[in-house]
């Protein structure tokens, strides 16, 4: 829905769903899924790892506590974008009509544009990911702190992680959709594409062209699906992360207790 000319093909979100199903069946909703699985595994590991490292590092400095979550979120997004951009590029090319499997699309990009071709729209992605990451991660951390303060618990319950994650994702997506539209236009511009045949010169030129041809409403394309997707994605992501973090922490503490008990028994 965010690609150029999509408004001429789809009347609304429901129409896009129906036409995608009629044309490609249920598999049409999973175009580029292999690129998503591989890319998301790596980028999520780097993202959460960097965010947690940033939080730990900044908390040891004389850094304002209120600014730790957004700064850690920004750090995570800057580092993970190096992996995320090629993944999104391949996925969006496939969803916009590129033929073949993920690896075939990857090879075509490399043949035509080289390694730098995998980073088409990198500045726009970073422009979107930084605010989106800062809003999502900091919203989750602030919501988490508020819930823990109110319930007087040390950790979130699973349902609390899901709710906080969903709300954080919805807030982030609703505020950063215009940036996502610009990023999508830059990533799907290829010669001969049936949807996005026009070429853009960069972020500034893309924004000007969207405003000229579609008005301000063009920058909100796909808002509904994106908010729903981001809410679900963040709910599952933060729930999985919090569950894994607590499970690993629990195992680590159990291991330490065993080591301490062995040390205390040794002299005796």
């Amino acid at each position: 829905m965010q690609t150029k000319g999509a408004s001429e093909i789809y009347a609304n979100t429901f129409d896009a769903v129906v036409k995608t199903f009629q044309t490609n069946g249920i598999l049409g909703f999973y175009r580029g899924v292999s690129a998503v699985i591989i890319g998301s595994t790596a980028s999520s590991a780097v993202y959460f790892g960097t965010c947690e490292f940033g939080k730990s590092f900044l908390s040891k400095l004389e850094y304002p506590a209120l600014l730790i979550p957004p700064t850690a979120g920004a750090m995570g997004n800057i580092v993970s974008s190096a992996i995320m951009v090629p993944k999104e590029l391949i996925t969006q090319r496939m969803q916009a009509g590129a033929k073949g499997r993920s690896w075939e699309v990857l090879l075509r990009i490399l043949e035509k544009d080289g390694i730098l071709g995998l980073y088409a729209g990198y500045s726009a992605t970073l422009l979107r990911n930084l605010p989106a990451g800062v809003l999502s991660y900091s919203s989750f951390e602030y919501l988490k702190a508020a819930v823990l303060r109110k319930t007087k618990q040390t950790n979130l319950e699973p349902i609390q992680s899901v709710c906080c994650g969903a709300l954080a994702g919805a807030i982030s997506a609703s505020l950063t959709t215009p940036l996502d539209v610009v990023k999508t236009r830059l990533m799907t511009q290829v010669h001969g594409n049936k949807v996005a045949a026009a070429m853009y010169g960069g972020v500034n030129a893309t924004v000007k062209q969207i405003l000229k041809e579609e008005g301000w409403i063009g920058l909100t394309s796909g808002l509904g699906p994106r908010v729903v997707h981001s809410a679900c994605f963040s709910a599952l992501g933060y729930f999985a992360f919090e569950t894994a973090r607590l499970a690993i922490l629990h195992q680590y503490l159990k291991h330490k207790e065993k080591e301490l008990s062995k040390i205390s028994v040794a002299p005796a």
Side-chain angles (χ1 to χ4, degrees):
M1 290 186 73
Q2 290 180 345
T3 52
K4 182 176 173 61
S7 58
E8 297 166 15
I9 302 170
Y10 308 117
N12 49 46
T13 304
F14 182 73
D15 187 43
V17 171
V18 171
K19 284 180 178 174
T20 301
F21 184 75
Q22 286 175 341
T23 308
N24 301 304
I26 195 69
L27 293 177
F29 296 102
Y30 291 91
R31 287 184 66 85
V33 70
S34 57
V36 171
I37 291 169
I38 295 167
S40 292
T41 302
S43 63
S44 293
V46 172
Y47 171 73
F48 281 116
T50 307
C51 285
E52 287 298 298
F53 170 77
K55 239 170 64 174
S56 175
F57 179 74
L58 293 170
S59 61
K60 292 172 185 175
L61 306 175
E62 290 183 9
Y63 199 79
L66 192 67
L67 296 178
I68 289 177
T71 306
M75 289 167 65
N77 272 277
I78 290 170
V79 177
S80 65
S81 285
I83 301 168
M84 195 180 295
V85 172
K87 178 265 292 185
E88 285 208 14
L89 180 73
I90 294 165
T91 305
Q92 295 199 341
R93 289 280 174 91
M94 292 185 73
Q95 290 173 351
K99 302 296 181 185
R101 296 180 177 275
S102 298
W103 63 270
E104 292 173 319
V105 175
L106 170 63
L107 288 177
R108 282 202 297 272
I109 294 169
L110 290 172
E111 283 172 10
K112 187 180 176 222
D113 304 311
I115 195 73
L116 291 177
L118 291 172
Y119 289 89
Y122 181 79
S123 58
T125 304
L126 205 56
L127 192 66
R128 179 208 66 174
N129 281 359
L130 271 176
V134 167
L135 283 166
S136 177
Y137 189 75
S138 55
S139 295
F140 178 78
E141 287 294 319
Y142 294 146
L143 288 166
K144 176 182 172 181
V147 170
L148 294 179
R149 215 169 28 244
K150 190 168 183 180
T151 58
K152 293 180 172 57
Q153 295 173 311
T154 53
N155 296 296
L156 291 177
E157 296 291 332
I159 188 65
Q160 293 170 337
S161 293
V162 169
C163 292
C164 288
L167 190 54
I171 292 168
S172 172
S174 60
L175 294 175
T176 58
T177 292
L179 299 174
D180 195 50
V181 173
V182 174
K183 183 264 309 176
T184 299
R185 294 292 175 91
L186 284 166
M187 281 189 164
T188 55
Q189 56 172 350
V190 288
H191 292 294
N193 188 307
K194 63 181 179 180
V195 176
M199 298 295 288
Y200 297 101
V203 174
N204 194 40
T206 306
V207 173
K208 285 180 180 176
Q209 190 164 343
I210 292 170
L211 292 175
K212 182 183 175 182
E213 295 178 0
E214 304 164 49
W216 288 99
I217 197 73
L219 291 171
T220 62
S221 301
L223 176 64
R226 186 163 184 268
V227 169
V228 173
H229 162 269
S230 188
C232 296
F233 183 83
S234 296
L236 290 168
Y238 284 115
F239 162 72
F241 174 69
E242 284 292 305
T243 304
R245 187 178 66 83
L246 291 174
I248 292 167
L249 181 63
H250 180 66
Q251 288 299 318
Y252 173 77
L253 292 174
K254 275 178 69 177
H255 178 68
K256 281 292 179 185
E257 280 179 13
K258 282 182 181 178
E259 283 188 344
L260 287 171
S261 63
K262 284 177 183 177
I263 292 168
S264 59
V265 169

